[in-house]
Structure formats: C-alpha cells, structure tokens
Amino acid sequence: MQDVAGEKAFSWRQRALAYIAELQSQLDGYDDGSAPARGAQRHLDAAREAAAGRASLRGAWSGLAVDRTWANINKVEVALLKLLPEAELPWWGSDVLARALQHLGPQDPRRTKLEEHLRGQDGKLSPQDRTLAVITLQAANIAAQQEKVRLRSFRNTILISTFVLIAVAAALLVVGAIHPHAINLCFDDPKAGPACPIGLTPTAWDVAIVELIGLSAASLVGAIGLRHIHGTSAPYTLPIVLALLKLPAGAVSAVIGLMLIQARFVPGLSDLDSRAQILGWAAIFGAAQQLITRLVDEQGQNVLSNVRDASRGVGRAAEATNPD
C-alpha cells in the first residue's frame, strides 16, 4: 500500500479515486469477458494508477496525472455505455445529455440530435440511439479535457509571470543593496532638505524597505479582493496563483513608482520631503498594482467559468455556452 499521506491530499485525486471505485463496481456487473470489457478494465487500472501515483512538480506543471486519469476514466464511461444491456440503457439518456449540455455548444449537431431524440422518448435512451449517445459522450469528454488544458495553460502563464516579477524584484533588491546610489530613492526638497526611505542618505536597505511596503500594500488589497474570487473544483489552483501574482507586482511597482516621481514623470508631484511621504507613496504604488492585475483576475474568472462539471449544474453550463 502506497504512502498516501501527501499524495491523496489533493481533492481531485480523492474524487477521481471515488469515481473509479464506482465505475469498477459497474464494470464488474457488466463484465462478460469480451474484448471491450477487458479494454475497459485496462483503462480503469491505468486511471487508478495515475490518480494514486506520486505527485511531482513536473506532473503538476504538465498536468500529466490529471490528463491520464480523466482520459482513461472517459474511455471507461464510453465502454460502459457500449456494454450496457438494453434494459438499463434508457436511464443513461439524461446523463449523456447533461454531459453534452455542459461541454458542447448549442450548435453542435450531436448534442442537438440527441436532444431531439430524447425529447420524443420522454428522456429515455433507445437501443437505436446507443451509437449517437456514444459519439456524443466522446465529444463531450474531449471538450471537457480541452477546457482543463486551457485552464492549465493559463495557470502556467500566470506562474511564469509571477516568477519573472520575483526575479525582477530580487534583482532590484540586490542592486540596491550593493550600489545604493544606483537605485536612488531619496529626495532633496529645497526647503525640507534630503529625505530617504531610511535616514537622510541612500542606504543598502532603501530598496528592501520600499519593496516590503509595496508587497504589504499589495497583499492587503489582494486580501480585500478575495471576496470576488470563487472557488473551483478543477484540479488547478488558479485563484491562489492569481493572488500570488499580486505580491511581487506590488514590490516592483512601489520601486518603479518612486523612481517615476523622482524623475518627475508623475504630473503634480514634487519632491517628497519626509520619510513618511516616501513610504506612504510606496504603499500607494504597491496597492496600485491592482489596476493591472484586476484585468488578469477577470480573465482568470472567465477561464474558470468555462470549466464545467456536474457541480456547476446544467442550467449554468447552458448559459455559459449560449449567453443569448
């Protein structure tokens, strides 16, 4: 028995393993020793192995375990639909139609045709429509996989952007520590005299304290913005990644903002004349990153809204695919 203390802590693994167990019980009841049944069992074993396997950073980045698990689960679902005896077939009509409504567009001919047939049969699937149901279920499953791929691609893009901003913030920090005058965040007001983030002359800690203030302001604004973020059952923690992006963005924007004031690129702002003003503007610029990352948040919510599953409900899924 594998050590599952950390491996199965991911909720998607738990859900997948529970669903695999359900599919196994169904397959056991329909297993007639035929080639389709044996093939379904191989796919089920592969899905179980992928869901219970050891997690890794490479797997989390590529989504290999997620894709392998659900691709094999989908194959088993299609195989079960083919193996079902005719007496039990009618009750699968609503399940296949729900999957089609969730993942296929309203103009998809397979979805449209299946709807028409089930509407005329009181929602029950007839043996004559088994092939249509199989084709529709396969198409819906492929669409569902593509939704998860798009979500993972967007999440990876945000992660790369976050790492780049972290590298930029670290570079500014190192340069400021080694050469305090290279990134001079001090101001010299003719009346009040010189003012720096720390003391009256440039120090190795000026950039560090400004980045800390900017990061703190960004985290505060990000915490307030969490009220607009909805959770997701998808296997990728996009809301958390979006929140992390704000931290290095706040640190960098605080330094860049003070440099713009010093260069007089900000109309209406003169030289700052006290340490409190410098740190106050650092906090303002750190919080101002929300103006840019808010657009990323909106795009993230759009991507999440396009990942549909049974928990979303058919009504909401239909609205997403047909906004008219």
Side-chain angles (χ1 to χ4, degrees):
M1 190 73 176
Q2 294 186 16
D3 179 10
V4 295
E7 303 305 327
K8 296 182 184 176
F10 300 95
S11 62
W12 78 264
R13 293 181 182 270
Q14 296 282 18
R15 294 194 304 272
L17 288 170
Y19 189 39
I20 289 170
E22 179 184 347
L23 292 175
Q24 182 68 71
S25 64
Q26 295 181 29
L27 182 59
D28 290 342
Y30 305 136
D31 191 352
D32 55 3
S34 62
R38 293 196 302 270
Q41 185 60 60
R42 287 194 296 270
H43 282 298
L44 202 57
D45 293 339
R48 185 181 294 109
E49 179 184 358
R54 182 173 296 277
S56 66
L57 289 177
R58 180 180 178 184
W61 178 265
S62 65
L64 180 61
V66 175
D67 290 346
R68 186 185 176 201
T69 297
W70 290 103
N72 281 284
I73 284 176
N74 293 157
K75 291 291 186 182
V76 177
E77 291 174 332
V78 172
L80 283 173
L81 184 54
K82 294 178 180 178
L83 291 170
L84 279 174
E86 292 187 359
E88 298 183 27
L89 190 60
W91 311 113
W92 274 59
S94 57
D95 289 340
V96 177
L97 179 58
R99 189 78 60 90
L101 292 174
Q102 288 165 352
H103 302 292
L104 298 179
Q107 305 304 320
D108 188 284
R110 294 156 297 195
R111 164 181 161 174
T112 303
K113 192 171 183 178
L114 183 64
E115 282 185 283
E116 292 175 355
H117 285 212
L118 292 179
R119 190 179 299 115
Q121 299 164 176
D122 196 24
K124 296 179 180 179
L125 189 63
S126 66
Q128 293 78 15
D129 293 329
R130 187 197 294 262
T131 301
L132 174 61
V134 167
I135 294 173
T136 304
L137 181 59
Q138 288 175 327
N141 287 339
I142 292 173
Q145 292 171 17
Q146 291 174 341
E147 291 168 3
K148 291 185 175 66
V149 168
R150 286 191 290 269
L151 173 60
R152 182 175 68 246
S153 177
F154 184 80
R155 183 215 53 182
N156 289 351
T157 301
I158 299 301
L159 281 175
I160 292 174
S161 301
T162 302
F163 292 146
V164 170
L165 284 174
I166 290 174
V168 171
L172 291 173
L173 186 64
V174 170
V175 173
I178 297 176
H179 302 291
H181 291 277
I183 304 179
N184 188 353
L185 300 179
C186 296
F187 296 84
D188 190 5
D189 186 88
K191 297 181 179 179
C196 297
I198 300 178
L200 300 177
T201 59
T203 69
W205 292 96
D206 285 352
V207 174
I209 189 64
V210 168
E211 286 192 351
L212 178 60
I213 295 298
L215 184 149
S216 301
S219 63
L220 179 61
V221 173
I224 296 174
L226 288 176
R227 70 184 189 278
H228 298 302
I229 294 180
H230 304 288
T232 175
S233 60
Y236 304 110
T237 54
L238 181 59
I240 296 177
V241 174
L242 290 171
L244 291 177
L245 175 66
K246 301 177 186 299
L247 302 183
V252 173
S253 62
V255 175
I256 299 300
L258 289 179
M259 293 175 64
L260 290 175
I261 292 179
Q262 193 178 62
R264 301 183 183 278
F265 276 100
V266 181
L269 284 180
S270 59
D271 286 338
L272 306 182
D273 55 16
S274 69
R275 175 173 175 267
Q277 283 190 2
I278 294 174
L279 297 183
W281 276 104
I284 291 175
F285 283 116
Q289 54 75 35
Q290 182 67 18
L291 298 176
I292 299 175
T293 57
R294 179 176 59 86
L295 302 177
V296 182
D297 291 340
E298 293 175 356
Q299 181 61 28
Q301 289 303 316
N302 290 336
V303 173
L304 280 176
S305 67
N306 288 328
V307 179
R308 296 176 287 276
D309 55 27
S311 64
R312 294 284 307 278
V314 173
R316 293 181 61 185
E319 291 174 2
T321 55
N322 184 14
D324 295 336

